[in-house]
DNA sequence: TTCCGTGCAAAGTCTTTGCATGGCC
DNA sequence: GGCCATGCAAAGACTTTGCACGGAA
């Protein structure tokens, strides 16, 4: 049994809930997926595996995964809430290009150390960090210097 | 005329759009408000001033303010998109307590400098930075050490 | 028996859009 | 006239919920 499964099952037990097949399928799909996702994408992927998981269950399971510390809310894409799994995923920043939309992730352990210091000073216990930088990527640089991109 | 007005009007002109009264009221309300807001709150506030601005206009103006670089999307609160104005507002981090929901802002110019270095290395032009740290505040510390908050 | 889980469809909430009107150049 | 702005109401897009059935302890 993989680590994320153990965590999820432990979490569910603590809450008096059960590690059922639909929940198992959702968890596995999330951890097979090495990218951001939204509820609909998750639902589609699971549908490919099994017809027996409903959209409602997907929506109901997402907050559980969040509470268990396995996924976190991420950049909002268009109108949809998006998430990413965070187990064994070192802290990273998202650099989002406002012109072409490309998202690049970079390590941010240095930033994290800085924040850990601050959190000690402020008596705050960090659970997770979400750092998003928007601007213009190398390719779109030129456009960034125009007054307003039209 | 205040700085944000000049910026907005200039932006609108560049796009061939007009700095109308509803847009003026919305802009002013946003800059009078020193906190995060969502479309509905903004609409309510403007309603107190004038009956003559519709919800649709508020929703249509928000993306313009965003494009003009005057506001930015922020933490998503419940189901609503939220924003904050960013002119003359030094970069700051949001510390969000997962237990009580309190949000504290702190300076993050040091983090910003670090990121500026990285952006130069990666040939990325930063437009703005959104840093959100979730965890538990001083008061809710104890709960943070329980296995799962119920 | 009791409590939890799930699917389905309906309801809800926030946001976007179509259309007709009205103003400005 | 041509273009843009706006209100209103309708439509859309996601997400949440009510309800009834089914299953495990």
């Amino acid at each position: 049994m993989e680590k994320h499964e153990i965590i999820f099952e432990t979490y569910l037990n603590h809450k008096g809930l059960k590690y059922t097949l639909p929940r198992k399928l959702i968890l596995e799909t999330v951890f097979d997926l090495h990218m951001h996702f939204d509820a609909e994408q998750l639902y589609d992927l699971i549908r490919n595996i099994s017809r027996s998981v409903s959209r409602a269950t997907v929506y109901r399971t997402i907050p559980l995964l969040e509470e268990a510390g396995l996924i976190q809310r991420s950049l909002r894409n268009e109108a949809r809430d998006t998430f990413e799994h965070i187990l064994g995923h070192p802290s990273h920043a998202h650099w989002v290009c406002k012109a072409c939309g490309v998202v690049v992730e970079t390590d941010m352990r240095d930033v994290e150390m800085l924040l850990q210091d601050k959190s000690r000073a402020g008596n705050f216990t960090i659970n997770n960090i979400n750092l998003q930088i928007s601007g213009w990527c190398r390719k779109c640089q030129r456009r960034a210097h125009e007054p307003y991109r039209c």
Side-chain angles (χ1 to χ4, degrees), chain A residues 125-145:
Chain A
T125 306
I126 292 178
N127 175 73
N128 73 58
I129 299 169
N130 205 315
L131 173 55
Q132 176 181 341
I133 303 115
S134 59
W136 293 274
C137 71
R138 185 191 316 236
K139 287 184 191 166
C140 300
Q141 291 289 328
R142 217 179 317 147
R143 258 173 289 182
H145 299 302

Side-chain angles (χ1 to χ4, degrees), chain A residues 67-89:
Chain A
E67 268 261 312
L70 292 166
I71 65 175
Q72 73 180 4
R73 214 162 270 272
S74 181
L75 318 174
R76 190 161 196 234
N77 175 288
E78 316 267 299
R80 294 173 175 180
D81 288 337
T82 62
F83 305 86
E84 60 181 335
H85 71 75
I86 51 181
L87 185 65
H89 215 209

